[in-house]
Amino acid sequence: MMRTDIEFNAEGAVLRGWHYVPDTGAGPFPTIVMAHGSAALKEQYLDRYAEVFAAAGLASIVYDNRNFGASGGDVRQEIDPILQMRDYRHAVTFAETLPSTDAQRIGAWGTSLSGGHVLMLAALDRRVKCVVAQVPTISGGQGALRRTRADQMAASRARFDEDRRRRFRGEPPATMPLVAEDPQTPCFNGGADAWAFFQESLKVAPSRRNEVTVRSAEMLREYEPGSYIERISPTPLLMIVGTRDVLTATDLALSAYNRALEPKKLVLFEGGHYDPYINQFALSSSAARDWFVAHLCQ
């Protein structure tokens, strides 16, 4: 396996990451495009997934989302779900330019928020021949209602409104914590497991910042990737879902899976939203690998 640094233009932002090429034979190779969810960085275990794929003969394009990590972007620490999804399409186009890529065998892998991105991607871009959505965001609106207590909803809306007034006056976007140890502190990803994952992942991504723009949370509420799921077929879809996921709720994922058309497969694992990266890594990585191999390497 060989890993090289890459960068490519995404119509206004330069996205940077890694290109993994297997040493299992001569190319061109089936190639997987992949980025992390929301504000996470590629160093947070995506290298481990790419290494598993490479051992099976799959190349990978792994990159940081715009505004985060090594990638460019004008508004740092801002999550724009639609732009992140469109950047996957730029990554596919970039992959097509590489001599090591078999352009007829491109797959997409996403997790958490980017799990929602790849659902939309596969529905909209037929260059993608196979897709894996791990603990995917199905509905930004429904997810926000699940994660925000009713007595905190008015305060949440007030933060959005005030941030819009600030920006209208020419002030920079307001920010909020990505995660918080105190459950009473408003943040983008609430819950003790989100805080624990952030602390654990600082070991591999020490530059990660616990901050996103308030506008990120507002834009997430507008994002409904699950509404595209019926349009993915005939592209093969694998969904990897946790039985106790409270961030991208298990029932929303299962309901979306039931709406998807064939060919499709569901892998359920025991655990919550952050377990696939560490505790359930062997299961999540091998399930994705096997799906890609079955549909891209035959």
Side-chain angles (χ1 to χ4, degrees):
M1 178 199 70
M2 179 175 66
R3 186 179 94 177
T4 57
D5 293 338
I6 55 169
E7 64 177 42
F8 57 94
N9 181 47
E11 294 184 347
V14 175
L15 305 185
R16 298 182 177 91
W18 302 315
H19 181 209
Y20 285 82
V21 178
D23 55 10
T24 54
F29 299 98
T31 299
I32 314 303
V33 295
M34 49 195 299
H36 224 311
S38 60
L41 305 182
K42 63 186 181 301
E43 290 83 3
Q44 292 174 255
Y45 314 111
L46 293 198
D47 51 345
R48 299 178 65 200
Y49 285 94
E51 289 165 3
V52 169
F53 298 162
L58 302 160
S60 298
I61 301 294
V62 185
Y63 64 94
D64 280 328
N65 288 306
R66 69 170 63 209
N67 304 327
F68 292 93
S71 288
D74 294 333
V75 185
R76 304 306 294 175
Q77 302 300 120
E78 177 154 284
I79 304 162
D80 185 326
I82 293 296
L83 285 182
Q84 287 189 358
M85 185 280 295
R86 289 174 179 164
D87 286 340
Y88 262 91
R89 304 189 76 173
H90 296 311
V92 171
T93 303
F94 171 68
E96 288 180 318
T97 70
L98 300 174
S100 61
T101 299
D102 184 336
Q104 300 305 310
R105 296 189 292 169
I106 293 177
W109 178 97
T111 186
S112 191
L113 184 57
S114 69
H117 300 343
V118 298
L119 296 177
M120 285 187 68
L121 173 74
L124 296 171
D125 198 325
R126 292 302 171 185
R127 295 177 299 172
V128 174
K129 298 302 194 293
C130 184
V131 62
V132 174
Q134 176 175 282
V135 292
T137 295
I138 299 299
S139 168
Q142 287 295 318
L145 291 174
R146 301 291 183 89
R147 297 192 302 271
T148 306
R149 288 184 0 212
D151 61 335
Q152 296 176 343
M153 195 66 72
S156 178
R157 288 194 294 266
R159 281 192 297 274
F160 298 152
D161 295 343
E162 180 55 30
D163 183 51
R164 285 190 169 274
R165 297 184 188 104
R166 286 168 49 94
R167 302 195 320 263
F168 189 79
R169 295 193 298 264
E171 300 175 30
T175 62
M176 66 190 303
L178 174 66
V179 296
E181 185 174 18
D182 183 353
Q184 299 303 314
T185 299
C187 62
F188 188 83
N189 284 339
D193 56 345
W195 173 258
F197 180 73
F198 182 88
Q199 296 301 312
E200 174 67 24
S201 64
L202 287 175
K203 298 174 183 176
V204 293
S207 64
R208 191 181 185 196
R209 293 163 56 186
N210 186 19
E211 178 184 70
V212 295
T213 64
V214 170
R215 182 166 55 184
S216 299
E218 185 177 36
M219 287 189 288
L220 178 60
R221 283 156 172 77
E222 303 167 354
Y223 192 48
E224 299 294 330
S227 64
Y228 287 79
I229 200 162
E230 293 93 339
R231 296 164 56 182
I232 294 173
S233 178
T235 302
L237 165 67
L238 171 67
M239 287 179 59
I240 301 173
V241 177
T243 57
R244 300 190 300 277
D245 195 333
V246 296
L247 188 65
T248 55
T250 301
D251 65 304
L252 295 180
L254 296 180
S255 177
Y257 177 79
N258 286 335
R259 298 197 309 273
L261 306 179
E262 298 289 349
K264 63 180 181 178
K265 181 178 180 180
L266 174 68
V267 171
L268 279 171
F269 65 87
E270 285 294 326
H273 187 75
Y274 298 95
D275 284 312
Y277 311 108
I278 303 174
N279 299 334
Q280 294 282 6
F281 173 76
L283 184 151
S284 67
S285 62
S286 62
R289 174 201 64 204
D290 294 348
W291 189 249
F292 287 133
V293 167
H295 294 283
L296 298 178
C297 295
Q298 304 304 319

